[in-house]
Structure formats: structure tokens, C-alpha cells
Amino acid sequence: MSIRKRAAAAYRPRVGEPVLDSRTGRTGIYMDTIGGEHYLRPPEGGCEWTARPEHIAPAAPAGGGAARESAAAAEPAGRTGPARRAGPSAVHAA
């Protein structure tokens, strides 16, 4: 009797899906697979890089706490919404 373990099915990302390249630690957007390598690009744009399929995993959800906190830190203090314009009634009300 043979006790062979089956390899787990490889993770197959969809085009446009954020993925984590465990070899480099970078998060990228999956673009395509050519010649057995996945092509990824930075989420903010830039040069693509290649990664082996065994180094690719789903990226953390976009609405994660760390991403939300860093976005809040980048927001200028005191701004809670779009700037309000004074309408004609505000000008003539005095």
C-alpha cells in the first residue's frame, strides 16, 4: 500500500485580484500567467514583476485595519468632508 500525499491545489488568482508575493513580501495586482510565472504589478502602478505560483497567496482584505488607519493618518486634521461653498443666500443674508 502506497502512502502518497497529494499536493494541495495551487492557488489560482483572478486578473485584477490583489495577491501577496511571499518571496519579496510585496503586494501586487495579478495580471497574467505566461510561461509558468505570474505577472504582478504594484497597486499604485509601475513596473511589473514575475513570481512563481508557489510564492503567491491571497492578499489581506483591502478594508483591513492597518490600511484604514494609515489612510486616516494621511487625512489633514480638521477636514471631515468636502469644503462648503457659500451660496447666494449666504452672501445676501447680511
Side-chain angles (χ1 to χ4, degrees):
M1 182 186 248
S2 175
I3 305 178
R4 278 191 173 174
K5 291 185 179 181
R6 278 199 156 170
Y11 170 64
R12 307 250 334 172
R14 289 191 232 145
V15 172
E17 180 179 349
V19 295
L20 175 67
D21 179 355
S22 63
R23 183 180 56 85
T24 62
R26 296 171 67 188
T27 298
I29 305 298
Y30 172 76
M31 301 307 290
D32 200 359
T33 300
I34 301 173
E37 291 194 319
H38 292 329
Y39 281 74
L40 311 175
R41 69 167 174 79
E44 62 278 353
C47 293
E48 291 183 342
W49 76 93
T50 59
R52 300 287 311 154
E54 60 270 16
H55 295 145
I56 298 300
R68 201 175 313 122
E69 289 171 11
S70 66
E75 187 71 26
R79 290 286 309 261
T80 57
R84 296 179 63 180
R85 292 186 191 167
S89 60
V91 174
H92 299 291

